[in-house]
């Protein structure tokens, strides 16, 4: 169920003809009919099949690696080790800082001397068939000498801990200081301190990493791949030692990304073997490969100390965060920064001290995942709000109401978000929509919880983000959009088409969008950070409006009116106050074509450019804008078994302006499922860095049978900085779900489980440890 708020938006109502309608997405027919090709569907004649040889320990010295038996196997075309490669590490451009700054992940292409995590690639094999490649894999002899590792980020900071990243395993530190925290705590009537733990999380996309590479007649390495970033052609070229213009990334529709296909995955391996063999090479990870082949969500340890008056006013907040970076740096400094900025949530905190560190371990490396640090912070601050309310005997919704940021007020970094802050409206709507409580029965306890959030959309402003798009009108009035944006299943491409036809007065069935080809589409940056609609949507809008202005000017001359009097819609051009004075759009386009009036435009949208946050205080602007909303749930907990059933799930988000309500609803429902798994069941278990839950048999995601109907309440303030006032919803849809469930479970059983996922075992242990007052001290 989707509801559109009836409350007055921040901007006056405007009449859209295409935007705001639940139109059939341009990618929907092909997907429904099974005609849509994904990266794994592409094959070529004379194609080789590839496998990756991986380390079976997490911390070791490579003593000997012998691939001679694999090379000798009939049908093996190539077996490659680090000895066959230049001594290069993987580094990537930071889109927006291209040519100015690179992100040195420190990751080896293949292990040369030291293994730093379980599953780290040792060698590459290409063979005539999959079976031969699998057999060759078993013939590789790797002698690994185990060396001491470290698997807890807190332990990794202690003197004498094994060093993973020089000099002290700390890969990033960030801080925010605001006001006078000590004075704030002195003013408090009650101080509440708790420590929360959030886990690793697997992206678990339906489509594992897969790609096909070949070298064409121009000696260009072409890679058809499942990726969120086609601009990886630059680091791929650097890694294999060719000019940038000799690598072409051809993206396909992505069968799920969630951040897991933001980093390089199979691309460098494919490029290396395609060049080495001179033949097309295909690599598809098995599910087990995927589990150890890409970065996970960062686990965090978050300690919150909150000062509050008896009437519910927050006087001070001190936060300490430790994130597990795993074996390599990747995006840890940026994930940490997002968590830092998000630490107080959507609340007014005048006296604030946040100190965050990302620490290297011999666990699987961690990187981008939907929510990107802000989600882990939300998991802590929303549980802490319930604990504070409990400590002072105040209703938890009332505590939130008394501390919500209001529109025009500064946030943690002193920045005033430019858009409306509608957290209060969203929270009230979500909470009310739960309706009457479900009756308890027998050992079943019913609980309710809410989670509110503040989530950025768009990338860090000091990265100077840009996105380009080209829009043109053909002679028959149809529209073409070209953009490098990748579509990861959320309808990014369809949204661009809807924006273009809104501006150009035509309909969605009249547009074709060419996307994600690094050689022929304008570069649009990453499909990450809830930025595609904001950045590329604005670029498309700019380009389409430039074309529209030229068409309108010519139509105004034909009608003998001012350009402001001309309107366009549903393939007609007409005088706004005299719709009988009109002409078909195709007729106007032909006139413009005959007269040499330009019918296309290449536009670049630039995000706000700012300096980095103040290094001492963390004050300044970190992101272009923020989204706000809330998620409310009702759960049933069996106190005998610890099993949890989510009975009701209600999401209320201010999306600024819906481009396509059906697509927005899909994102919200998907976020609810993603967050429910994070809260209750998705657990990656490691022993000395070795993953012991490497498949969907052990890693338990909620299925359709575990999910309640998700009620979606969509509010539109029309205040966002995206096209037509839109805000992002990709990441925000997930962010508040897990703490809402955690708060509901605590409400049901009278005791909090401070570590996610909140499994039946943890619930039963918490109930057994509970003392006579119903309280449980949080872990140290």
């Amino acid at each position: 169920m989707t509801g559109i708020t009836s409350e007055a938006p921040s901007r006056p109502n405007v009449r859209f003809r295409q935007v705001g309608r639940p139109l059939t997405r341009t990618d929907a027919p092909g997907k429904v009919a099974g005609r849509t090709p994904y990266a794994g569907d592409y094959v070529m004649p004379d194609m080789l099949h590839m496998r990756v040889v991986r380390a079976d320990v997490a911390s070791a010295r490579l003593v000997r690696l012998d691939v001679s038996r694999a090379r000798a196997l009939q049908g093996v075309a190539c077996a490659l080790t680090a000895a066959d490669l230049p001594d290069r590490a993987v580094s990537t451009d930071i889109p927006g800082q291209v040519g100015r700054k690179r992100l040195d992940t420190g990751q080896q292409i293949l292990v040369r001397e030291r293994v730093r995590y379980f599953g780290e690639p040792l060698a590459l094999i290409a063979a005539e068939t999959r079976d031969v490649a699998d057999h060759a894999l078993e013939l590789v002899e790797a002698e690994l000498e185990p060396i001491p590792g470290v698997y807890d980020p807190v332990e990794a900071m202690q003197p004498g801990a094994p060093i993973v990243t020089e000099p002290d395993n700390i890969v990033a530190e960030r801080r925010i200081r605001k006001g006078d925290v000590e004075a704030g705590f002195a003013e408090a009537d009650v101080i509440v301190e708790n420590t929360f733990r959030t886990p690793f999380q697997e992206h678990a996309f339906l489509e594992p990493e897969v790609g096909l590479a070949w070298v064409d007649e121009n000696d260009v390495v072409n890679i058809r791949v499942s990726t969120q970033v086609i601009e990886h052609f630059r680091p791929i070229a650097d890694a294999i030692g060719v000019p940038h213009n000799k690598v072409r990334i051809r993206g396909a529709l992505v069968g799920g990304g969630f951040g897991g296909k933001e980093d390089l995955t199979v691309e460098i391996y494919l490029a290396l073997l395609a060049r080495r063999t001179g033949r097309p090479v295909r690599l598809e990870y098995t599910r087990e490969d995927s589990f150890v082949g890409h970065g996970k969500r960062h686990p965090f340890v978050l300690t919150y100390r909150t000062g509050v008056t008896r009437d519910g006013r927050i006087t001070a907040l001190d936060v300490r965060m430790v994130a597990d970076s795993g074996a390599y740096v990747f995006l840890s400094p940026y994930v940490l920064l997002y968590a830092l900025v998000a630490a107080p949530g959507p609340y007014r905190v005048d006296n604030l001290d946040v100190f965050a560190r990302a620490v290297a371990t011999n666990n699987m490396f961690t990187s981008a995942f939907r929510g990107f640090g802000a989600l882990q912070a939300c998991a802590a601050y929303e549980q802490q709000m319930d604990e504070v309310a409990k400590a002072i005997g105040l209703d938890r919704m009332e505590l939130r109401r008394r501390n919500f940021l209001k529109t025009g007020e500064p946030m943690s970094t002193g920045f005033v978000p430019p858009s409306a802050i509608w957290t209060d409206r969203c929270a009230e709507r979500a909470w009310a929509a739960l309706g009457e409580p479900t009756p308890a029965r027998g050992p079943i306890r019913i609980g309710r919880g809410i989670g509110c959030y503040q989530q950025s959309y768009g990338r860090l402003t000091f990265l100077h983000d840009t996105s380009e798009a080209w829009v043109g009108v053909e002679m028959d009035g149809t529209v073409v959009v070209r953009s490098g944006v990748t579509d990861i299943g959320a309808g990014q491409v369809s949204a661009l088409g809807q924006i273009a036809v809104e501006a150009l007065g035509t309909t969605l069935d009249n547009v074709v969008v060419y996307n994600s080809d690094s050689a022929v589409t304008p570069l649009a940056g990453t499909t990450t950070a809830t930025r595609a609609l904001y950045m590329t949507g604005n670029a498309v809008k700019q380009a389409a409006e430039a074309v529209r202005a030229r068409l309108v000017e010519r139509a105004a001359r034909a009608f003998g009116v001012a350009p402001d009097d001309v309107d366009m819609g549903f393939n007609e051009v007409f005088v706004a106050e005299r719709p009988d004075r009109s002409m078909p759009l195709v007729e106007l386009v032909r006139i413009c074509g005959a007269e040499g009036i330009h019918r296309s435009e290449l536009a670049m949208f630039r995000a706000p450019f700012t300096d980095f946050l103040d290094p001492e205080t963390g004050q300044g602007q970190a992101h272009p804008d923020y989204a706000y909303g809330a998620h409310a749930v009702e759960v049933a907990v069996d106190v005998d078994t610890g099993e949890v059933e989510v009975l009701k799930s209600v999401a209320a988000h201010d999306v600024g302006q819906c481009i396509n309500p059906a697509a927005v609803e899909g994102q919200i429902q998907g976020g609810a499922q993603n967050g429910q798994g994070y809260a209750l069941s998705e657990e990656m278990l490691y022993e000395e860095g070795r993953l012991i839950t490497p498949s969907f048999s052990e890693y338990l995601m909620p299925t359709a049978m575990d999910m309640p109907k998700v009620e979606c309440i969509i509010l539109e303030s029309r205040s966002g900085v995206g096209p037509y006032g839109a805000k992002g919803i990709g990441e925000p849809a997930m962010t508040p779900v897990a703490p809402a469930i955690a708060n509901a479970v605590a409400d049901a059983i009278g005791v909090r489980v401070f570590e996610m996922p909140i499994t039946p075992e943890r619930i039963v242990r918490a109930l057994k440890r509970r003392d006579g007052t119903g309280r449980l001290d949080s872990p140290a």
Side-chain angles (χ1 to χ4, degrees):
M1 176 180 179
T2 301
I4 303 297
T5 179
S6 59
E7 299 174 64
S10 293
R11 294 180 182 175
N13 284 314
V14 292
R15 184 166 62 101
F16 295 124
R17 296 185 172 92
Q18 302 297 319
V19 163
R21 299 175 61 200
L23 304 177
T24 300
R25 281 171 29 180
T26 57
D27 58 318
K31 289 179 175 177
V32 170
R35 299 191 309 268
T36 298
Y38 288 82
D41 294 315
Y42 291 91
V43 295
M44 294 181 75
D46 199 33
M47 179 180 75
L48 296 170
H49 297 267
M50 185 175 166
R51 290 300 305 269
V52 180
V53 182
R54 299 182 181 277
D56 60 1
V57 294
S59 180
R61 184 173 294 106
L62 178 59
V63 177
R64 183 176 68 91
L65 182 62
D66 186 351
V67 296
S68 58
R69 292 175 63 209
R71 281 176 175 154
L73 183 68
Q74 185 176 359
V76 170
C78 184
L80 208 63
T81 71
D84 303 306
L85 305 176
D87 189 8
R88 292 192 178 101
V90 178
S91 62
T92 64
D93 281 311
I94 300 176
Q97 293 283 293
V98 172
R100 298 174 55 186
K101 188 175 181 180
R102 297 178 68 81
L103 177 64
D104 184 2
T105 67
Q107 185 190 29
Q108 311 167 88
I109 297 173
L110 295 171
V111 171
R112 189 169 293 274
E113 295 177 353
R114 181 180 173 185
V115 172
R116 289 179 169 83
Y117 69 89
F118 175 77
E120 189 161 16
L122 301 174
L124 307 174
I125 292 172
E128 300 292 342
T129 68
R130 290 183 182 180
D131 288 343
V132 172
D134 287 341
H135 187 191
L137 200 72
E138 298 171 357
L139 298 178
V140 174
E141 298 175 14
E143 183 181 342
L144 300 173
E145 177 188 335
I147 58 177
V150 62
Y151 306 100
D152 181 279
V154 176
E155 292 179 7
M157 293 186 288
Q158 303 305 312
I163 297 299
V164 183
T165 299
E166 297 287 350
D168 54 11
N169 291 331
I170 297 174
V171 301
E173 286 186 348
R174 302 278 188 255
R175 191 154 204 162
I176 289 178
R177 291 189 180 95
K178 181 181 178 185
D180 188 332
V181 172
E182 291 308 314
F185 280 121
E187 185 184 353
D189 296 317
V190 176
I191 296 175
V192 180
E193 181 172 341
N194 290 295
T195 295
F196 307 92
R197 296 177 184 271
T198 67
F200 288 100
Q201 189 180 21
E202 162 64 25
H203 299 79
F205 20 68
L206 286 176
E207 173 203 39
E209 296 86 339
V210 61
L212 172 69
W214 68 97
V215 181
D216 66 20
E217 66 279 3
N218 296 313
D219 202 32
V220 172
V221 180
N222 292 260
I223 308 174
R224 175 73 75 175
V225 68
S226 177
T227 181
Q228 296 177 233
V229 187
I230 64 168
E231 291 184 50
H232 282 326
F233 70 88
R234 287 181 287 262
I236 295 167
D238 291 340
I240 67 175
V242 301
H244 289 182
N245 65 355
K246 291 295 185 179
V247 174
R248 178 181 183 180
I249 302 295
R250 301 185 183 198
L253 282 174
V254 178
F258 315 111
K261 295 170 183 172
E262 176 175 345
D263 298 312
L264 287 162
T265 56
V266 299
E267 295 95 327
I268 290 177
Y269 306 146
L270 285 164
L272 284 168
L273 289 196
R275 280 181 57 82
R276 181 62 63 101
T277 64
R279 292 172 61 181
V281 180
R282 183 179 185 273
L283 172 59
E284 178 181 351
Y285 279 178
T286 64
R287 184 58 61 182
E288 290 75 15
D289 267 330
S290 185
F291 264 84
V292 299
H294 67 257
K296 310 305 171 195
R297 184 186 297 283
H298 290 72
F300 270 66
V301 180
L302 308 104
T303 298
Y304 271 66
R305 183 167 172 253
T306 307
V308 63
T309 61
R310 289 287 179 192
D311 63 359
R313 181 173 59 86
I314 296 173
T315 62
L317 178 62
D318 181 274
V319 181
R320 294 293 178 268
M321 298 177 170
V322 178
D324 189 341
S325 178
Y328 291 105
V329 177
F330 280 84
L331 294 169
S332 291
Y334 302 98
V335 171
L336 194 72
L337 184 56
Y338 276 66
L340 181 91
V341 171
Y347 303 106
R348 186 187 312 105
V349 180
D350 295 327
N351 303 303
L352 177 66
D353 190 348
V354 188
F355 182 49
R357 288 173 290 184
V359 184
T361 67
N362 288 108
N363 293 320
M364 181 65 191
F365 67 87
T366 46
S367 194
F369 199 133
R370 186 181 200 173
F372 206 82
L375 180 142
Q376 291 95 319
C378 183
Y381 64 66
E382 279 303 275
Q383 292 189 78
Q384 179 74 348
M385 288 297 285
D386 267 28
E387 290 300 299
V388 170
K390 180 179 175 182
I392 62 175
L394 186 64
D395 176 80
R396 50 193 166 161
M397 283 291 289
E398 185 58 32
L399 175 67
R400 287 171 170 83
R401 291 186 195 101
R402 295 182 186 185
N403 291 281
F404 277 139
L405 278 173
K406 304 297 183 186
T407 302
E409 291 183 340
M411 51 175 286
S412 60
T413 66
F415 173 65
V416 177
S419 66
I421 300 176
W422 276 15
T423 327
D424 52 351
R425 303 188 194 201
C426 293
E428 298 291 351
R429 292 287 297 274
W431 193 246
L434 289 177
E436 291 299 315
T438 301
R441 61 192 187 282
I444 304 300
R445 302 289 182 267
I446 304 299
R448 291 183 161 192
I450 192 158
C452 305
Y453 71 89
Q454 173 179 276
Q455 177 83 47
S456 62
Y457 61 100
R459 299 174 74 237
L460 294 161
T461 49
F462 67 81
L463 295 180
H464 296 192
D465 203 8
T466 62
S467 184
E468 294 181 71
W470 183 95
V471 176
V473 182
E474 301 296 341
M475 293 304 297
D476 61 354
T478 56
V479 175
V480 174
V481 177
R482 292 187 173 93
S483 167
V485 72
T486 53
D487 192 314
I488 60 175
Q492 284 88 355
V493 165
S494 187
L496 299 184
Q498 208 162 342
I499 290 164
V501 298
E502 176 66 46
L504 291 169
T506 184
T507 53
L508 194 58
D509 57 344
N510 278 333
V511 67
V512 171
V513 182
Y514 296 100
N515 70 295
S516 65
D517 187 328
S518 67
V520 299
T521 55
L523 297 180
T526 66
T527 302
T528 66
T530 316
R531 71 174 287 281
L533 177 64
Y534 163 54
M535 293 295 300
T536 309
N538 271 328
V540 167
K541 184 171 180 285
Q542 285 182 355
E545 287 180 341
V547 175
R548 176 192 174 103
R550 291 192 283 271
L551 296 178
V552 163
E553 194 280 330
R554 183 60 186 85
R557 284 194 280 131
F559 293 136
V561 298
D564 288 347
D565 295 329
V566 175
D567 202 353
M568 303 170 68
F570 298 103
N571 303 306
E572 292 286 322
V573 185
F574 50 90
V575 178
E577 300 302 322
R578 293 281 307 278
D580 56 308
R581 298 185 61 192
S582 66
M583 73 172 75
L585 175 61
V586 63
E587 182 181 335
L588 175 61
V589 171
R590 288 171 179 168
I591 292 171
C592 292
E595 297 180 2
I597 296 172
H598 207 42
R599 294 166 289 103
S600 66
E601 183 77 11
L602 174 65
M604 174 183 281
F605 178 74
R606 297 172 174 85
F609 290 3
T610 67
D611 293 329
F612 192 80
L613 299 178
D614 184 285
E616 297 297 322
T617 66
Q619 297 299 287
Q621 181 177 355
H623 301 99
D625 192 25
Y626 297 85
Y628 299 87
H631 201 99
V633 297
E634 182 181 81
V635 302
V637 183
D638 187 323
V639 294
D640 289 343
T641 66
E643 291 178 286
V644 179
E645 179 183 1
V646 179
L647 303 176
K648 300 176 184 178
S649 188
V650 183
H653 301 272
D654 170 28
V655 302
Q657 166 64 53
C658 271
I659 302 300
N660 186 319
V664 169
E665 185 175 5
Q667 284 295 288
I668 292 172
Q669 291 170 338
Q673 186 270 352
N674 211 176
Q676 184 171 319
Y678 185 60
L680 295 176
S681 62
E682 295 183 29
E683 187 166 28
M684 304 193 75
L685 297 176
Y686 291 88
E687 290 182 355
E688 294 293 296
R690 177 191 292 270
L691 180 65
I692 59 173
T693 53
S695 75
F696 290 159
S697 297
E698 304 92 358
Y699 185 78
L700 304 178
M701 297 179 295
T703 68
M705 295 181 67
D706 302 307
M707 290 297 298
K709 183 177 181 179
V710 179
E711 181 174 353
C712 303
I713 302 173
I714 302 173
L715 284 72
E716 296 179 287
S717 66
R718 297 205 178 108
S719 65
V721 296
Y724 302 106
K727 295 189 176 192
I729 190 60
E731 291 174 293
M734 181 182 179
T735 295
V737 179
I741 292 172
N743 286 337
V745 171
D747 182 51
I749 66 175
V751 60
R752 185 167 299 278
V753 178
F754 287 87
E755 182 175 2
M756 292 181 182
I758 305 170
T759 59
E761 295 82 0
R762 288 190 174 114
I763 289 174
V764 169
R765 284 200 299 267
L767 288 168
K768 287 182 177 179
R769 293 198 308 268
R770 184 175 56 187
D771 64 21
T773 65
R775 295 187 59 194
L776 175 68
D777 291 332
S778 63

